[in-house]
Amino acid sequence: MAAAITRTRRATIVKEAADIRIRCQRERLDTEQTAAEIRRALPEVQQLEAWRLALGWSRSVTITQVKAQYVADGLLPRSLSDPMLCRWEHDPGERPDREYTVMLCRAYGATPAQLGLDFAEQVFPERELSSVIRYGRPETDTCSAGSREMVVHMTTAAGLPAVRESLQLALLADPHGSAEVAELAEAAVEHYALTYPKHPAYLLFEEVRAARGLLTDCLVTGHVPEQVAGGLHRNVGWLSALMGNLAFHLDDHTGARAHLATATAYGTRTDDARLTAWALGAQSMVARAENRYETALSYAERAVAQAPAGLPKAQAHAWAQLTSLAGLGREQEADTALAAAARALEADPVGFAPGRFGFDAAEYTLHQAESAIALGHHNRARAAAETSIGATALATPGWAAATLVLAQAEAPTQPADAAQRALNVLDRVPAARLRSTSRARLARLDKVLADAPATGVGDLHERVRALVPLIDNHGNAST
């Protein structure tokens, strides 16, 4: 094991690495070049630690980002800890296993060789490991030209239509439906739900609508076996729920209400309590966005009543009931709803689950933060928003939402910090990917900061004013 480094020296290394990173940013060097500069100036630093310092990440941020890779794949995160990462960075005899190597590379946007983990390429075939690390990841641009040739691409243009085409082929084989068609339709719903944040909303809307149309065409023939029809109707309901959520994120509230009402009707028809509760919760969300808080609370109470025990019940309490009560200023009842959500989660044997119809730690604490702001508790909101940010991946929709909520919490006392956070979101998230919910948060923040004589406020106002609409006056989506 390498000689121990004192705590004082470690603090000096972190400070000097941060200074080197700032210099490299001014010189427009990439992460790999920055890591090399850090190692050149600080020979005690090994490659794995140098890459983290080049990104400006603490170990806790790395752990959060690695966990986010698991969540993005629909997996439960492994228990990566600060001491484990410390040993991997400092002890040549300690190395992450293959799975952790893959997740570290994906989180850092690097190859095993760049992280000093090229031993993995000796144990596992280079082509195989590269494909696992890079499959479908936008950070492939950081690879060398040779590495890029081995990347297996899964893009919106290929992946989304392929799911719909598989459903279409199944229906060609069984035009009147079958158990296999119903199972494939359920898999399509799951795919759309789990990959929801990875695609532009307008493109995903088109694919979900096309998939629902295929099922509708099958059902209207009148020849679907009774034992199959129930499953197809249920999937029509879930696809309608997705369309409602997508319409909402595209700022089409009337369309969202129509699709979500359809989802509620199909949930009721098929006795799918989870679908019914989720669709009612989404209708509550739309009503809140329109400042119709009494209506939102009515939907929320119905969602709570319908939701099965465990995670769905927790989601209804936190996503719909808590936020509606907070918007009405009913603090004591809001606290009761939050406590009910916590009890429901504790009773769930699995706990949080990823995906559009799931409920995760980032969303849970985001609702707490927004409700705290509505009730005037900005310090409480800051803590919850920071927790939410820590549970998200950088530049994702969830990260943007939590960052903007944190900015709203900071606005009364730290207007310059709030403005810079919002500008960071605008720098990192393209306008076409900025959902209507984040745009609404930006507009509220801009209004609150309007008279604040703070750095960045003027820039933020101009950036918000110049935002390209999600859908223009001619019905064309932003690109």
Side-chain angles (χ1 to χ4, degrees):
M1 184 172 178
I5 298 175
T6 65
R7 183 174 297 181
T8 301
R9 178 56 184 161
R10 177 61 56 197
T12 301
I13 287 172
V14 171
K15 182 180 183 303
E16 291 182 10
D19 292 339
I20 294 168
R21 178 172 175 268
I22 291 171
R23 172 175 60 79
C24 290
Q25 285 179 325
R26 286 198 298 265
E27 296 174 2
R28 300 183 181 278
L29 301 185
D30 62 22
T31 306
E32 183 174 20
Q33 292 168 321
T34 302
E37 289 294 309
I38 289 172
R39 294 201 68 203
R40 189 173 296 114
L42 303 166
E44 308 103 310
V45 177
Q46 302 302 309
Q47 283 176 256
L48 184 59
E49 183 179 20
W51 199 276
R52 175 174 63 79
L53 295 173
L55 289 169
W57 290 4
S58 64
R59 288 200 188 98
S60 63
V61 170
T62 292
I63 291 167
T64 297
Q65 295 299 327
V66 169
K67 288 181 177 179
Q69 302 305 314
Y70 281 94
V71 171
D73 285 351
L75 303 172
L76 289 176
R78 291 174 68 186
S79 55
L80 177 60
S81 65
D82 192 294
M84 289 170 64
L85 184 55
C86 181
R87 290 195 299 272
W88 295 341
E89 289 182 344
H90 300 147
D91 187 349
E94 291 278 351
R95 283 291 184 266
D97 61 22
R98 179 175 187 260
E99 184 178 308
Y100 272 133
T101 296
V102 168
M103 294 306 188
L104 280 168
C105 288
R106 277 169 43 173
Y108 283 154
T111 65
Q114 288 172 322
L115 299 181
L117 303 176
D118 45 328
F119 73 94
E121 293 176 342
Q122 299 168 11
V123 178
F124 306 102
E126 183 178 6
R127 180 178 296 273
E128 175 190 348
L129 189 61
S130 177
S131 296
V132 171
I133 292 170
R134 294 295 176 177
Y135 183 77
R137 299 290 157 177
E139 66 268 19
T140 53
D141 288 342
T142 63
C143 299
S144 64
S147 298
R148 277 198 297 271
E149 292 175 1
M150 294 186 292
V151 172
V152 179
H153 291 284
M154 172 58 72
T155 65
T156 297
L160 281 177
V163 173
R164 182 237 310 149
E165 288 160 4
S166 290
L167 182 58
Q168 188 172 18
L169 287 169
L171 283 166
L172 285 174
D174 293 300
H176 303 308
S178 63
E180 289 75 17
V181 169
E183 184 178 347
L184 179 54
E186 186 174 339
V189 170
E190 184 178 6
H191 174 79
Y192 296 141
L194 288 174
T195 62
Y196 189 103
K198 298 181 180 180
H199 307 297
Y202 74 94
L203 283 179
L204 185 55
F205 184 92
E206 291 175 1
E207 287 300 321
V208 173
R209 177 173 177 258
R212 190 182 70 165
L214 291 172
L215 297 185
T216 303
D217 290 343
C218 173
L219 287 166
V220 297
T221 64
H223 301 296
V224 179
E226 185 176 348
Q227 65 272 26
V228 172
L232 295 184
H233 281 124
R234 185 166 51 254
N235 286 309
V236 164
W238 282 110
L239 291 168
S240 298
L242 280 170
M243 289 175 63
N245 211 76
L246 287 160
F248 176 67
H249 283 149
L250 288 167
D251 206 22
D252 177 11
H253 289 190
T254 54
R257 291 203 301 268
H259 301 312
L260 293 171
T262 300
T264 303
Y266 273 85
T268 302
R269 174 175 180 170
T270 59
D271 292 323
D272 190 332
R274 181 166 171 253
L275 169 57
T276 303
W278 193 94
L280 288 167
Q283 286 175 288
S284 177
M285 171 185 67
V286 176
R288 285 196 307 278
E290 298 172 341
N291 296 317
R292 298 184 293 120
Y293 286 101
E294 291 289 356
T295 301
L297 182 59
S298 176
Y299 279 124
E301 300 290 359
R302 290 171 61 193
V304 169
Q306 288 283 339
L311 186 142
K313 184 78 76 176
Q315 187 174 29
H317 278 302
W319 173 36
Q321 189 182 42
L322 166 66
T323 46
S324 298
L325 288 166
L328 290 167
R330 292 158 61 171
E331 183 169 356
Q332 187 173 355
E333 292 169 89
D335 289 342
T336 301
L338 180 59
R343 288 194 301 272
L345 280 173
E346 289 172 4
D348 193 299
V350 177
F352 290 117
R356 178 50 38 187
F357 299 122
F359 191 55
D360 59 22
E363 185 181 353
Y364 181 59
T365 49
L366 179 69
H367 299 322
Q368 291 183 51
E370 289 204 292
S371 297
I373 289 174
L375 294 167
H377 301 304
H378 290 81
N379 287 336
R380 189 188 305 172
R382 276 198 291 270
E386 286 170 350
T387 301
S388 185
I389 291 171
T392 62
L394 185 68
T396 58
W399 172 85
T403 301
L404 291 173
V405 170
L406 177 56
Q408 287 178 286
E410 291 175 329
T413 56
Q414 300 165 268
D417 288 349
Q420 288 303 318
R421 285 192 193 281
L423 288 169
N424 188 33
V425 169
L426 290 169
D427 286 340
R428 291 183 179 276
V429 183
R433 296 283 188 137
L434 202 61
R435 294 174 178 172
S436 65
T437 45
S438 288
R439 290 163 179 260
R441 293 182 181 106
L442 279 166
R444 289 196 295 271
L445 179 63
D446 182 44
K447 185 176 180 180
V448 170
L449 295 175
D451 299 323
T455 303
V457 169
D459 288 345
L460 177 62
H461 178 72
E462 290 304 313
R463 294 282 297 276
V464 171
R465 188 178 63 85
L467 266 179
V468 178
L470 283 166
I471 305 293
D472 65 21
N473 292 333
H474 303 288
N476 299 313
S478 302
T479 57

